[in-house]
Amino acid sequence: MDVEEVFHMNGGLGENSYAQNSYLQKKASDMMKHITLKSLEETYISTSPESLGIADLGCSCGQNTLSTIREMVETIDNYSNIRPPEYRVYLNDLPTNDFNAVFRILPDFHKELNTERHLRCEKLESSIYIAGYPGSFYGRLFPEKCLHFIYSSYSLHWLSRIPPGLYDKEGHSINKGSFYISKSSSLQVSKAYFDQFQEDFSLFLRSRSKELLSGGRMVLILLGRRDRTHVDRGNSFLWELLSRSFTTLVSKEEVKQEKVDEYDAHFYAPSRNELEDEVKKEGSFEIDRLEMFEIERYSGPYMSHGTAVARTIRAIQESMISRHFGEEILDKLFGIYGNLIDEEMGIEEIKPISFIIVLKKL
């Protein structure tokens, strides 16, 4: 399956859209926004540009993207007061992303933001230019030295492709019954995932090093793991529960086991050491900050934590799952998945961890 042609967050504003089911991502970005905005401010102070270039890589669609941009503009406006720079904002995601959903709300966003800016200071004259920039961030996207700040939230744990090392000479998966690295997976499986992560993250760093000006910064938020152990009660366990959900459908003869055996995720949760090692090997950046954090369980009034997580993951994985298995299983699959998460949370907490890493271009 070609990831670039298939993978995207669910577009639109419907019940299963990413826009309606990205609460957990928004919560994480809010938790870490003091780091993001401080890094942006420090970049602006050290570079003092008249035109500030910002890129959001893996922007997806919905209000999360524009709320981050709003906070960035407010931060620099407040620092520079009467003479802020003009803002060049590039929203990047794969071509399959629902950019139209972003474009439809841009006019109102511009109007509201400009009204707020003039209320803060009537003499503000700088403009904000926002553009969609489709393409994979595993490779070059922008001209050389045109960016001051890059932001990417919950995108870099998605690999550019399903690792080729997961398949034998006949093209059959060597990780049958599991979608990711599990207790039953061989060392060859974890090596295949790690090799693909190294290839992708190194290419990402090399590409961004060309596009960022000296002194520019990147703030990257991504899922990860605590130590060298791949199998834990965190992100890998959520994949394990998704595999179990499919096992239930297989037992009811609603999905064939052969189809489950053929499915693998293009996902990798790196450790702190793996991130540090790749940054050091590439050599263009220094690490300003690297922190691990957890998001507290969902506690809203309308659904359980398991249902909230299942809806979030459905909004992300539906494009891949429906292409491989068909759309007719989705409601039942994610209903089972949400119940399994709630059952396991009743036994012991599931604690996925995330990293925020701030990199400064040398």
Side-chain angles (χ1 to χ4, degrees), residues 63-79:
Q63 292 293 341
N64 281 7
T65 297
L66 296 183
S67 65
T68 301
I69 299 304
R70 182 192 301 271
E71 289 167 347
M72 290 181 179
V73 170
E74 289 175 353
T75 296
I76 301 303
D77 278 356
N78 289 336
Y79 178 81

Side-chain angles (χ1 to χ4, degrees), residues 124-325:
L124 280 177
E125 297 179 355
S126 70
S127 298
I128 303 168
Y129 303 97
I130 301 177
Y133 225 86
S136 172
F137 51 55
Y138 293 121
R140 287 291 300 279
L141 287 167
F142 306 102
E144 286 197 15
K145 300 179 180 179
C146 71
L147 297 176
H148 299 87
F149 191 78
I150 291 173
Y151 176 74
S152 181
S153 180
Y154 288 104
S155 297
L156 275 163
H157 43 254
W158 297 111
L159 302 172
S160 66
R161 58 179 177 170
I162 297 167
L166 292 177
Y167 301 97
D168 60 23
K169 293 180 180 179
E170 286 73 39
H172 301 132
S173 175
I174 63 171
N175 197 30
K176 293 181 179 180
S178 298
F179 293 164
Y180 182 52
I181 304 168
S182 67
K183 290 179 181 178
S184 62
S185 299
S186 66
L187 290 177
Q188 188 178 346
V189 169
S190 56
K191 183 180 185 304
Y193 274 107
F194 178 57
D195 288 348
Q196 189 62 52
F197 161 74
Q198 285 186 305
E199 177 184 317
D200 284 347
F201 195 52
S202 175
L203 178 57
F204 176 87
L205 294 173
R206 292 198 307 273
S207 301
R208 304 295 82 78
S209 73
K210 297 287 188 181
E211 298 160 354
L212 272 171
L213 288 148
S214 179
R217 286 175 174 81
M218 290 198 291
V219 173
L220 312 176
I221 301 173
L222 69 160
L223 295 171
R225 67 184 198 277
R226 287 177 172 78
D227 51 40
R228 295 178 62 183
T229 304
H230 286 281
V231 180
D232 59 13
R233 203 170 173 85
N235 293 302
S236 67
F237 191 65
L238 290 176
W239 284 107
E240 170 65 26
L241 293 182
L242 187 59
S243 296
R244 288 190 205 172
S245 302
F246 271 99
T247 298
T248 300
L249 293 183
V250 170
S251 70
K252 296 180 179 182
E253 299 185 346
E254 296 184 31
V255 172
K256 292 184 178 180
Q257 183 63 50
E258 292 80 6
K259 295 290 285 185
V260 175
D261 290 341
E262 292 169 356
Y263 191 77
D264 293 290
H266 66 293
F267 172 90
Y268 187 74
S271 67
R272 177 191 295 268
N273 288 342
E274 288 170 352
L275 289 168
E276 291 174 335
D277 288 347
E278 291 307 311
V279 172
K280 290 174 183 176
K281 278 195 295 184
E282 195 280 327
S284 298
F285 299 90
E286 65 178 6
I287 299 175
D288 263 2
R289 195 162 184 168
L290 176 54
E291 294 186 12
M292 182 177 72
F293 66 97
E294 295 178 9
I295 307 172
E296 294 180 1
R297 69 161 67 190
Y298 176 83
S299 58
Y302 304 113
M303 67 185 81
S304 68
H305 174 76
T307 299
V309 173
R311 290 182 60 167
T312 297
I313 293 179
R314 175 173 180 169
I316 297 168
Q317 275 288 292
E318 182 169 317
S319 62
M320 299 291 284
I321 290 174
S322 62
R323 172 65 69 92
H324 187 77
F325 295 98

